[in-house]
Amino acid sequence: MRARNLKLTDIFDFDADGGEMTLAGERVVLMDAVAMGLLRSQLITAFGMTGARSIFTRFGYTHGYRLAEAMKTAIPWEDEREWRVAGGRLHRLHGMVSFEPVKQSTHSPPPFAEAVWHDSYEADQHLLHHGQAEECVCWTLAGFASGYLSKAQGRTVYCIEESCRGKGDPVCRMVGRFREDWPEAQQAFFTFYESDCLNEALSTLQAQLKKVDRRLAQRRRELESEQDESGLVIRSLSMKTLLGQARRVASVDTSVLLQGESGAGKERIARFIHDASGRQAGPFVAINCAAVPESLIESELFGHARGSFTGATSDRPGLFESAKGGTLLLDEVAELPLPMQSKLLRVLQEREVRRVGENKTRSIDVRLIAATHRDLAAEVKANRFREDLFFRLRVIELQVPPLRERPEDILPLARQALARSAAREKLPLKELSPEASRRVLAHPWPGNVRELLNAMERALVLSPGKRIEASDLPPDVKQPAAPARHLGEQRTLAEIEREAILTTLAAERGSRARTAERLAIGQATLFRKLKQYQAEGHQVAPAA
Ligand code: ZN
């Protein structure tokens, strides 16, 4: 038998009644070309052109390779050469494409195989479902030719289209060379046969999904943060400003210092920065430096080797190592003893830690956020905190405002806390009575958000009625700040207030900010009152 005389009836075995059918002894099925086209279309949508091309190229390759294997013995060939060149004929017998060998190649050196393809089913399907492409699209055909030739030659042959009807050329033209004969400049298509193109397409897709996911999470956080029990209620301008700053800070990898009173929500802001940063997938590790005994803090932060001190029964990494790829929050950093401050500084400068009892250093990969309720600059002045460490930590400094400076947030926070407590304790949801709301608003909340959350939880649990009355509030909240002890004196409340303000201002050497803070009033209020006192002729200490 010669390849060009091969007929479908020589190899195709079927019953007119259907059922199992074979080609060269292998079971085959009849498949609708449009159905194949639709499958292709779906794979292109799912994996992109590159991913789909990789799938179809290798699908075609397997098909061609297996068929060559089966054909070798299925037909009494005139000689083995006839079997080797039968791939093109088989392509036609399969109804996929008509093969016309090119006799006079224009290529130099001439390729091992070259053909014009007519009526490619694959180009038709691509045009049908996707319209004209920008690249050649007969992927299974090129794969099939490569698979057949590789098996028949006993060496790897790769075929590629150099023109294609699918991209608007008049005909499809295929060129095949042994793998090693392909010039390096043209080897880019090898990737469809060899490297895991699909994985590449998938990982691109995954990266895109992750990005979308991150954006969604960010949006969700922003929505939630309007009513977040950790303090991220952002009705107030000061919190909106702070969150805006935190979001910008998140995008850079520098150290951040969070200052603010206890309970104001510094840890929550640190968490917000971590979640909005590129380190979001890494761990968020927090330590309260004030809560760890001085003797243990070094091992806690840097880790230790087995036997380095009593109780060190095994090697243990410190928090700097545990937070690798993520964020480490050093809360109450001002409480670190001075010798630890030096060690911390060295770690930050050298970006490596040494476990207690070890000589070896390990590099670290963390974003450090430090937090304190103290005025760290004042701690530096008082020689309780190293200035160099202060500057290192304070690359960016954020001030978390106390609750009393953002009164707009108090009632939304209280309502949110009540709702969450009710859900957690499986209690009916209750509202604050108008009088209770007034007391809650008037209270200075020295313990900030934390105090407010605790007060609401307590009130919800203890209140007997359908709503929370002023009498259900903790004692210091339900008592309005009473000027009772001054009542015996012959002074008005306004006089008492003026004296308190002016004395404090003088004591703070004119600092409006510190005066407002000490008196637990807003700076705007303070300014207004000072202006009024000046207008009334009182002596007001000049601004510091
Ligand atoms: Zn083509």
Side-chain angles (χ1 to χ4, degrees), residues 134-149:
E134 286 179 359
E135 54 182 285
C136 299
V137 299
C138 299
W139 306 328
T140 62
L141 300 188
F144 179 97
S146 307
Y148 193 96
L149 288 170

Side-chain angles (χ1 to χ4, degrees), residues 475-486:
D476 56 332
V477 181
K478 69 184 170 201
Q479 299 292 338
R485 62 182 182 276
H486 297 296

Side-chain angles (χ1 to χ4, degrees), residues 11-26:
I11 46 172
F12 191 28
D13 237 354
F14 68 97
D15 193 304
D17 198 26
E20 217 170 281
M21 43 188 84
T22 60
L23 195 140
E26 300 283 324

